[in-house]
Amino acid sequence: MARIGTADLVIVANRLPVDRMTNPDGTLGWRRSPGGLVSALEPVMRANDGAWIGWPGGDDGELEPFVDDGLQLVPVALSPDEIEEFYEGFSNGTLWPLYHDVVAKPEFHREWFDSYVRVNERFARKAAEVASENATVWIQDYQMQLVPQMLRELRPDLRIGFYLHIPFPPAELFQQLPWRRQVLEGLLGADLVGFQLPGAAQNFIRLVRQRVGHKTHRDTVYLPDGRTVKAAAFPISIDAKNFEDLARTEAVDRRAKAIREALGNPAKIFLGIDRLDYTKGIHARLRAFSELIRDGQFDVEDAVFVQVATPSRERVEQYRILRDDIDRLVGRINGDLGRIGRPAISYLHSSYPREEMAALYKAADVMVVTPYRDGMNLVAKEYVACRYEGDGALVLSEFAGAAEELRQAWLVNPYDINGMKQALLQAYEADPKDIARRMKAMRKTVIEKDVAHWAARFLDELAATRPDHGKSVRPARRS
Ligand code: GDG
């Protein structure tokens, strides 16, 4: 066997949890990218000599592994062609729309898949080098679905987990994928395959039975060589305490008041925060809101909609089209309905620091989250975490994974514009007691089931899949 590494826990993800930045003196450095995943995994990584394998972004070529704030980071390089074919192409032009109910049309290109195979091989080889004997490897998300099987071939001693952050489609849609069998077999290299929702795990089990022909019973697949693979749901969450603490700071409180002031102190602020993505239903929600003004249900003096759309995947054609569509819609709505100093929609195509996000959540009376399909949607949970005073209304799509837990939100079907108008109006007019009752229940869920709980549950379950095999991950050291 080739050289074996020292890490007892290895995370494999498309991206490293750091971004390249230029220091004031002109040298290059790294900045930790904000995100729940890294903060959830950090303590358990530290307790287990963990390593994180991922693409650092960009096409700077090979980089040596390095340690950032005590975490061992192992960069995997992508060439400009691979960025186009593996990342923008197969990951974001094929799998992303296919796994999100075909909200946009997926493109199938053989050279994109070839690139996906090559890049997955590179990640698998790197994981095989870095992992210690009998280590645990946890592979993340749709860009890496072939890695479990490739890694198992290289290192049968490892305990391998896989987690999919986005939905897993029903057989009727997954079937379209020309490489459906390779993807299913790739995932079956894991001991445990985790999904956001039980329905996704069931879709997977059914497909494995139908398409690969393995025996299955409930949540378990029985492979011919005697190995078993378990598929189950582990709904992801956020570092709720961290968000609440941030929202409670004086600086965020001041900023929330300043935002309200700058908007002209309207009676109610509606808020949407999303990556600018066609799955998020931004267009439909703005239309619903604008129709309420046009219908005279409220006035631009009473209500404003703040929409933050964080730039995303800007080199992918469908994302460019979406950006133009939203620009045009916002222009038309504000042109038709706005008054001087009073636009109906305050649209921001930009990304913000976490403090500003918390201030926006705190300033918003009605949070509007209306994806056509979403694995979970962390924005909905972040809003709840920031509303420590127990007020604030959440309008949430039934098709976001979060809707299975946040049942007390105003649930909507984003395809039904009239239904959305009704829900927005109800949230706008709701009795504060009703709002408080709903928020209290949602806060209980978000605070109890945070991202640390998610990570611990997955790793415990993974350790239990083959108790006779592999060493166990040590629990996180509590600070
Ligand atoms: C995928 C799945 C699943 C956004 N703009 C800014 C910013 N954000 C942060 C939010 C939130 C995160 O990005 C977005 O997470 P979502 O869950 O809403 O959506 P996706 O990016 O599509 O994530 C999704 C998730 O994976 C986890 O499994 O829930 O279903 O699609 O945390 O706060 N953060 C900062 N500035 C911004 O401008 N700092």
Side-chain angles (χ1 to χ4, degrees), residues 34-36 96 100 141 163-167 196 236 238 243 273-275 277 279-280 308 310 313 350-354 357 361 374-380 382:
W96 180 268
H100 285 91
D141 227 357
Y163 187 76
L164 186 70
H165 291 255
I166 68 175
Q196 301 276 17
I236 201 169
I238 56 164
F243 259 98
I273 298 185
D274 313 77
R275 271 187 312 96
D277 194 295
T279 59
K280 301 288 184 186
V308 175
T310 310
R313 306 175 191 169
S350 188
S351 93
Y352 294 93
R354 266 163 47 85
M357 305 272 292
Y361 289 138
D374 215 331
M376 176 55 61
N377 197 292
L378 299 181
V379 165
E382 287 164 6

